[in-house]
Amino acid sequence: METQPKHITYADAGVDVDEGARAVDAIKAAVRETNRPEVIGGLGGFGSCFSMRGFKDMEDPVLVSGTDGVGTKLAIAQLLDRHETVGEDLVAMCVDDVVPIGAEPLFFLDYVAIGKLRAEHVAKIVKGIANGCKKSGCALVGGEMAEHPGVMDPDDYDLAGFVVGVVDRPKMIGPHLVHEGDVILGLPSSGIHSNGYSLVRKVAIEGKTVEELETPLPELGGESLADAVMRPTTIYAGGLVAALKAGAPIHAMAHITGGGVTENLNRALPADVDAVVDRGGADGPAWDVPPIIDYCVKAAGLTPDEAYKTFNMGVGMSIICDPNDVDEVCEDLVAQGFAPFVMGECVKGEGKVTYR
């Protein structure tokens, strides 16, 4: 006699399709709030549609794409059970990578891989993504929630994001516009943002209880480690796009992410120009460095060179412009809510970042 196979459903295998449907229902309103006029349809299709009709007046429209994640900052979010802002981190890491070429972020998609899907949990994450999209002016047009039982721990999750923007080729900015004598401006970071967290966890998080992490510290200005390390990444794209549309004469930008100032500012330089950054003297840099960054630098015993190659050191975005345009560019940036400061200058060189 043949043995009947045991009846095992998808839910028995660890994937709850009904919970997935509830999660989609929970995020629909938040996603809808990010819509732009160009979005065609809504959630539910196999592919997302976005009309390019509104950009027909561009001389040579160029699509600009980017992708990134949040990294090991998510491990701290899981430890603290704080998931409301990591979605903003995800959006920031993507949209602020496409704006340095002058591109306007148009639409965003996310990928959430999670051990055990709980609708309320995922809704917190995706609502953070939607909030980030609203801040940057792009539409959240779709995504994927993938439940991975047996591969990931139930409370574990990872995020990836994908953005597409557009720029008119004649208006593209970048290293080709940068020349000797240009001034380098900085826009303040909100803190560590979303890079360097493997080191942050090693020197500031490991071995501490959640209660200790949530205790205010004098060296952080009365803020707790938990609040400081979970502060969301600043989203610069929306304001920078508005400044460019207003005519701000910007030559190039550099998003200061993994690799710090040293390995990101050089990406905005041509091969015959160096960036000389004013790192300051005994009193520190010529601008304010968030206390949490100082805390981690000291806890890790980093040299200045190591610190500037690991963390953003208080600079989330660098702006390069002609010295004669500094006042105009700063006025345009201030009008968008930024607080720019001079952080260096461009000199003849080899496309490297140096310090003084």
Side-chain angles (χ1 to χ4, degrees):
M1 296 178 60
E2 293 185 4
T3 303
Q4 291 294 323
K6 182 179 179 181
H7 179 244
I8 301 175
T9 66
Y10 208 4
D12 293 331
V15 176
D16 190 338
V17 177
D18 292 334
E19 188 69 6
R22 284 191 288 273
V24 172
D25 288 338
I27 65 175
K28 280 184 176 178
V31 172
R32 195 179 303 117
E33 290 176 0
T34 72
N35 274 357
R36 293 172 50 124
E38 301 92 345
V39 174
I40 301 171
L43 293 183
F46 290 102
S48 303
C49 300
F50 191 95
S51 173
M52 296 298 291
R53 180 185 294 272
F55 307 98
K56 63 183 180 181
D57 291 335
M58 287 187 175
E59 180 180 334
D60 184 5
V62 176
L63 294 178
V64 184
S65 60
T67 183
D68 210 332
V70 180
T72 58
K73 186 174 185 176
L74 293 178
I76 304 176
Q78 292 160 29
L79 173 67
L80 299 172
D81 195 24
R82 297 190 184 189
H83 313 286
E84 293 81 3
T85 59
V86 290
E88 287 190 37
D89 290 309
L90 181 66
V91 175
M93 297 303 291
C94 294
V95 298
D96 287 342
D97 268 356
V98 300
V99 76
I101 203 170
E104 174 186 0
L106 298 178
F107 57 87
F108 190 88
L109 297 99
D110 62 71
Y111 177 82
V112 182
I114 193 164
K116 179 63 178 177
L117 196 154
R118 290 179 285 115
E120 296 79 9
H121 183 197
V122 172
K124 289 180 181 179
I125 298 169
V126 178
K127 286 177 181 177
I129 295 172
N131 193 40
C133 286
K134 286 190 288 185
K135 287 184 177 182
S136 62
C138 68
L140 178 56
V141 296
E144 169 72 2
M145 291 180 289
E147 197 169 13
H148 290 169
V151 177
M152 303 175 72
D153 290 335
D155 292 331
D156 193 17
Y157 66 93
D158 197 10
L159 305 177
F162 313 87
V163 67
V164 173
V166 67
V167 62
D168 198 355
R169 183 174 294 202
K171 295 182 179 180
M172 289 172 65
I173 61 175
H176 63 287
L177 298 178
V178 175
H179 53 73
E180 181 182 351
D182 276 359
V183 173
I184 306 168
L185 303 174
L187 300 184
S189 69
S190 59
I192 303 172
H193 283 182
S194 297
N195 299 105
Y197 273 83
S198 293
L199 179 59
V200 171
R201 289 166 54 225
K202 188 73 174 178
V203 301
I205 304 299
E206 288 183 6
K208 295 182 177 67
T209 65
V210 172
E211 183 179 3
E212 288 173 324
L213 294 174
E214 293 181 342
T215 300
L217 297 178
E219 55 266 54
L220 297 181
E223 189 174 37
S224 70
L225 273 169
D227 289 341
V229 299
M230 288 306 299
R231 188 179 297 112
T233 305
T234 302
I235 294 176
Y236 301 95
L240 289 174
V241 168
L244 289 170
K245 287 184 175 180
I250 294 171
H251 286 173
M253 304 182 198
H255 184 198
I256 310 303
T257 57
V261 176
T262 305
E263 294 191 350
N264 284 286
L265 182 51
N266 63 330
R267 298 162 72 178
L269 302 173
D272 60 349
V273 170
D274 279 356
V276 180
V277 174
D278 187 2
R279 203 154 63 184
D283 295 331
W287 59 86
D288 292 331
V289 176
I292 183 59
I293 295 180
D294 272 336
Y295 179 96
C296 292
V297 168
K298 291 175 182 176
L302 300 181
T303 66
D305 284 346
E306 290 171 333
Y308 277 77
K309 200 174 181 179
T310 304
F311 298 118
N312 63 57
M313 300 307 294
V315 184
M317 187 76 72
S318 292
I319 310 290
I320 302 177
C321 66
D322 188 279
N324 296 318
D325 295 328
V326 169
D327 289 344
E328 180 182 351
V329 171
C330 285
E331 287 177 6
D332 289 334
L333 293 173
V334 169
Q336 298 303 322
F338 297 121
F341 52 85
V342 175
M343 59 179 291
E345 62 180 336
C346 294
V347 300
K348 185 176 179 61
E350 303 174 341
K352 299 179 181 179
V353 177
T354 62
Y355 299 95
R356 63 184 176 202

